[in-house]
Amino acid sequence: MADTKREIERKFEFRTTKAGRRGVPDLTGTAAIAAVTDQGTAELDAVYYDTPDQRLAADGLTLRRRTGGKDAGWHLKLPVAPGVRDEITAPLGDTVPDALSALLRSRVRDTPLEPQVRLQSSRKLSHLLDADGALLAELSTDAVRAERADASAAWTEVEVELADGADPALLDAVEKTFRKAGLRVSDAPSKLARALTETGGEPPARATGPDIGPAEDTVGAHVLAYLREQRDTLITQDPAVRRGLPDSVHQMRVATRRLRSAFKTYRRVLDPAETGPIGEELRWLAAELGVDRDQEVLLERIQTRLDELPRTLVLGPVRGRLKIWNVARRTGSRRAALAALDSRRHLALLDALDALLADPPLLKAAARPARSALPAAVLGDYERLAGRIGGALSMDPGQDRDVALHEARKAAKRARYAAEAAAPALGKPARKLAKAVKAVQSLLGDHQDGVVAREALRGLAIQAAGAGESAFTWGVLYAREEALAERRERELPQVWAATEGPAAAVRG
């Protein structure tokens, strides 16, 4: 069993030896701090684990096995923002707990985690309390000794970690007081980072691949930068999906779609024979992740529509029927998504992406200047979308038109992603086109969600009738979804017309 805590802290170090001799100033009276209470000294012994090539350190993660103090055990820290990390703990044991290993799998793959650095700290701990005696923060002064292979280093650092619910502005007030006493914010984001630097083991920067072109302004360079960004999102969202964090599945699926779209949009830049098989694996991953997420979105839509109905139109055990239906459809879906992340197939996909980016199969067109080559690729996807929009609007309302609009929605995603990928080179015109096409995509997405909802509502009505319940409410909701779909179809021509100006600007 692993527990998670959001850690908001700031680390400090003494600027001079003289400041170090004076020690930490009394913080009583700083901001809301009314008292500082001594909590004694603890002797901590931590061994930090990583791959031999320090993949965790390179991404700002730390994994340690620590004894001593009140929180002995395994600690995994994942960066959230500067000065903010999620600390996930597991009970003390001789090997890395499975719960933590799973969260690191996208980064370490099959590479073993081994002891890299040992840190021994003598920690003097104090509590910073408000006027009511409530804990605001913990103040730690650590005398640290680091050992790595044959090298060692020693230093003193001061850390202030906020208590749950404390105002982050307290850290600014403490920093102001500390500056006057000769302390400054530490350059190192963690003890491990400082230990590696001071023992000659500074982690390598994340690989960015070979340079392309004399000024790094080729279409190949821009496409590869975009692909690396999406690959990194897949890796960083993997542990978030496992933890069930909000929007994590969505972000991971979007990254798979952007990668697949880029392979198709820039097929004259990267050899399709190499990217095609990877694209199919990305399609598989998105599908495996999507089952649970799609049902979640569908349930939220139906619940929202149900909440909008007057109470007089809700007949029978509607909410109970909806709950039973949702549980039946979602049973095992999250388990299946996690199984996909744990599969050899997923690891092989990540390895394939790494290999492609390390040695990209660039075609001759990759060497062309970005500003001259990217517009044609972006506009190619835009014209493809235009054809699908025109075809759908020429059809009579009905199932065939619904299918055509869904295909247009997929084309809109691809056109939007193409514009977003080109924005670093093309600037404002590409950003405006991406925004305009996103509006088209959103409208078509709402239309498609309504199509899926109508099918679900029809099924719910059949289930209700079969159980002897009233199907009236399900019929009302179905009719409302039909009306909403018709409204979206009427709005589409105007929303589509708004893309013409940005497209012309990209065209130049």
Side-chain angles (χ1 to χ4, degrees):
M1 180 67 70
D3 297 316
T4 302
K5 177 187 176 184
R6 177 60 55 86
E7 182 183 81
I8 303 175
E9 64 183 17
R10 199 165 295 176
K11 296 180 181 295
F12 302 87
E13 58 188 39
F14 294 101
R15 287 200 299 262
T16 64
T17 303
K18 182 178 180 181
R21 286 197 298 268
R22 287 198 302 264
V24 178
D26 184 5
L27 291 173
T28 304
T30 299
I33 301 172
V36 179
T37 62
D38 184 7
Q39 300 297 307
T41 301
E43 302 301 323
L44 310 176
D45 193 341
V47 176
Y48 286 76
Y49 284 67
D50 205 337
T51 60
D53 56 356
Q54 298 178 343
R55 296 180 198 174
L56 302 186
D59 281 354
L61 283 72
T62 60
L63 173 67
R64 72 187 179 203
R65 181 186 184 276
R66 190 168 77 181
T67 58
K70 295 183 294 184
D71 61 347
W74 287 89
H75 304 161
L76 171 63
K77 296 191 179 186
L78 301 169
V80 176
V84 182
R85 295 186 292 180
D86 278 347
E87 182 179 62
I88 305 168
T89 60
L92 196 63
D94 293 334
T95 59
V96 181
D98 291 343
L100 302 188
S101 293
L103 297 177
L104 297 172
R105 201 158 186 257
S106 64
R107 287 180 168 88
V108 305
R109 319 285 166 80
D110 292 324
T111 306
L113 290 164
E114 301 172 349
Q116 301 294 327
V117 178
R118 182 183 183 187
L119 293 181
Q120 294 174 294
S121 304
S122 182
R123 168 167 291 180
K124 181 180 179 182
L125 181 66
S126 299
H127 282 175
L128 309 181
L129 309 177
D130 67 12
D132 297 323
L135 180 64
L136 294 172
E138 288 188 341
L139 168 66
S140 304
T141 304
D142 293 347
V144 185
R145 177 175 174 81
E147 298 176 353
R148 188 184 69 84
D150 295 329
S152 64
W155 69 90
T156 298
E157 74 174 35
V158 180
E159 176 183 298
V160 179
E161 180 179 342
L162 293 180
D164 292 343
D167 185 355
L170 177 67
L171 294 177
D172 295 329
V174 169
E175 180 181 342
K176 184 177 180 180
T177 299
F178 276 0
R179 280 203 306 268
K180 295 177 180 178
L183 288 97
R184 63 180 178 87
V185 175
S186 176
D187 293 330
S190 67
K191 286 185 177 66
L192 175 63
R194 180 165 183 174
L196 289 171
T197 298
E198 298 205 7
T199 59
E202 189 169 0
R206 189 170 183 84
T208 58
D211 290 344
I212 304 171
E216 267 300 282
D217 197 23
T218 63
V219 63
H222 281 277
V223 170
L224 290 175
Y226 182 75
L227 294 178
R228 289 187 199 102
E229 181 182 350
Q230 306 315 315
R231 184 274 314 272
D232 291 348
T233 298
L234 283 184
I235 291 172
T236 57
Q237 289 300 325
D238 181 296
V241 170
R242 294 173 187 273
R243 295 169 60 198
L245 297 186
D247 206 39
S248 57
V249 171
H250 173 67
Q251 293 298 327
M252 196 171 191
R253 289 178 76 194
V254 168
T256 66
R257 290 168 179 157
R258 284 177 167 155
L259 283 163
R260 287 183 62 230
S261 291
F263 289 159
K264 294 175 181 177
T265 299
Y266 300 107
R267 59 191 177 277
R268 298 183 185 277
V269 175
L270 292 168
D271 186 354
E274 299 290 334
T275 61
I278 298 176
E280 287 304 308
E281 291 303 283
L282 289 165
R283 182 200 297 272
W284 160 79
L285 178 59
E288 292 296 314
L289 293 171
V291 176
D292 194 60
R293 171 62 179 169
D294 289 346
Q295 177 62 20
E296 181 184 14
V297 171
L298 178 57
L299 174 66
E300 183 179 343
R301 184 181 184 96
I302 295 175
Q303 284 179 327
T304 299
R305 298 289 181 263
L306 184 57
D307 291 341
E308 293 169 351
L309 288 183
R311 294 174 63 182
T312 54
L313 298 183
V314 181
L315 304 183
V318 174
R319 296 186 187 279
R321 169 64 55 191
L322 184 61
K323 183 177 181 180
I324 293 170
W325 168 83
N326 182 60
V327 170
R329 289 171 65 101
R330 294 186 74 175
T331 298
S333 60
R334 173 165 170 77
R335 187 163 55 249
L338 295 180
L341 295 184
D342 282 332
S343 69
R344 300 298 312 174
R345 189 173 182 179
H346 177 49
L347 294 188
L349 168 59
L350 295 178
D351 286 343
L353 285 168
D354 286 349
L356 180 132
L357 291 169
D359 185 18
L362 296 171
L363 300 176
K364 186 177 181 180
R368 293 181 59 193
R371 288 184 177 271
S372 64
L374 286 174
V378 173
L379 292 171
D381 280 346
Y382 176 79
E383 295 301 331
R384 176 173 172 270
L385 170 60
R388 293 196 180 183
I389 293 284
L393 291 177
S394 68
M395 295 179 177
D396 293 329
Q399 185 176 1
D400 288 346
R401 188 180 197 183
D402 290 342
V403 172
L405 289 171
H406 182 43
E407 291 302 311
R409 176 199 186 190
K410 291 189 283 187
K413 285 182 182 179
R414 180 165 155 182
R416 171 193 164 192
Y417 297 155
E420 288 175 345
L426 303 184
K428 192 173 181 179
R431 288 194 294 270
K432 283 191 171 183
L433 180 58
K435 182 178 180 181
V437 173
K438 182 180 179 181
V440 175
Q441 175 194 330
S442 296
L443 185 148
L444 293 173
D446 189 64
H447 182 277
Q448 175 61 18
D449 288 347
V451 171
V452 174
R454 291 206 305 272
E455 183 61 26
L457 291 166
R458 181 176 179 275
L460 283 161
I462 292 172
Q463 291 178 16
E469 303 165 4
S470 171
F472 173 81
T473 300
W474 304 116
V476 172
L477 293 174
Y478 187 101
R480 289 198 167 198
E481 286 289 0
E482 272 193 325
L484 183 59
E486 292 172 0
R487 186 190 314 164
R488 293 291 178 261
E489 291 178 24
R490 291 194 302 270
E491 294 170 346
L492 179 57
Q494 182 178 356
V495 176
W496 171 245
T499 67
E500 294 175 359
V506 170
R507 191 175 288 111

